[in-house]
Amino acid sequence: MDDGELGDAVGRARDGDQTAFGVVYREVHPMLLGYLRGMLGDEADDIASETWHDVVRDLRTFRGDGQAFRAWAVAIARHRALDHLRRISVRPRTTPLDGRTEEPVSERGSDGAALENLSTEYALSLIAELPRDQAEAVLLRVVLGLNGPMAAKVLGKQPGAVRTASHRGLKRLSERLSGAEEK
């Protein structure tokens, strides 16, 4: 779904259209959950629920397009995740990601979908091993599809810092994948 279609669905959801909210949820939740799993591991589901509670509560005040909605939702998720990490007073833990990250329904055959899910799971597990700033930047830019300024706004950093972290993270991932292929 492109940003225009998502923005239209958000507008209808803001006006009380439950079907439109379902569309928004199905489009954004898998990416949001992947982001949270990269930060929190197994605790992501609870924080995702808290995030959607806040999204529903404050949806009437939101103004913007699909990209802005993604950034707004992930900013809420990030604040919730950081609050959670402060509450448990530990550094962010990375854990192997399981196959529970839902993927959008595909028109392809089950074999193609299975390969895509395996590669998504593997990619998310590699991202979870990156340093936190790089993992967050890669998740926001690649998984959630936010542009540099939007990702920077979510992280409270300058766009250049987010681009650098994203570049370094992607470079590490590339090196890791190249090393795996040589084995």
Side-chain angles (χ1 to χ4, degrees):
M1 176 179 286
D2 68 28
D3 288 334
E5 292 171 322
L6 179 60
D8 292 341
V10 168
R12 291 191 315 274
R14 186 177 51 236
D15 294 336
D17 184 337
Q18 292 180 359
T19 303
F21 184 80
V23 169
V24 170
Y25 179 83
R26 283 188 300 278
E27 177 66 21
V28 175
H29 183 70
M31 294 177 282
L32 193 66
L33 192 57
Y35 171 74
L36 288 170
R37 284 216 174 103
M39 284 185 71
L40 302 170
D42 291 334
E43 299 169 23
D45 291 313
D46 292 337
I47 303 305
S49 295
E50 292 176 19
T51 299
W52 283 107
H53 172 270
D54 291 354
V55 167
V56 169
R57 183 192 65 208
D58 298 335
L59 185 59
R60 292 202 184 276
T61 64
F62 174 77
R63 298 291 180 261
D65 63 6
Q67 174 112 335
F69 180 80
R70 283 186 179 97
W72 180 67
V74 80
I76 293 170
R78 182 173 188 268
H79 290 138
R80 282 293 192 165
L82 293 175
D83 288 346
H84 174 74
L85 292 171
R86 278 191 286 274
R87 274 193 311 269
I88 61 173
S89 299
V90 296
R91 296 185 66 202
R93 295 184 305 262
T94 57
T95 58
L97 298 174
D98 59 18
R100 290 183 294 176
T101 302
E102 296 176 18
E103 294 292 325
V105 177
S106 174
E107 298 294 322
R108 287 170 290 145
S110 59
D111 56 340
L115 287 174
E116 184 177 304
N117 286 340
L118 285 175
S119 63
T120 299
E121 179 180 339
Y122 181 61
L124 287 173
S125 69
L126 290 177
I127 292 169
E129 294 174 5
L130 292 172
R132 183 172 160 202
D133 66 324
Q134 293 175 12
E136 281 190 291
V138 169
L139 287 166
L140 290 173
R141 298 290 311 273
V142 178
V143 176
L144 285 163
L146 297 182
N147 62 27
M150 286 287 193
K153 186 175 179 181
V154 168
L155 296 173
K157 296 182 177 185
Q158 294 295 318
V162 173
R163 281 191 300 273
T164 299
S166 178
H167 173 75
R168 287 178 180 163
L170 291 171
K171 184 175 178 184
R172 274 189 177 187
L173 290 173
S174 175
E175 290 168 355
R176 177 92 188 267
L177 290 171
S178 294
E181 288 175 2
E182 291 173 7
K183 290 182 180 180

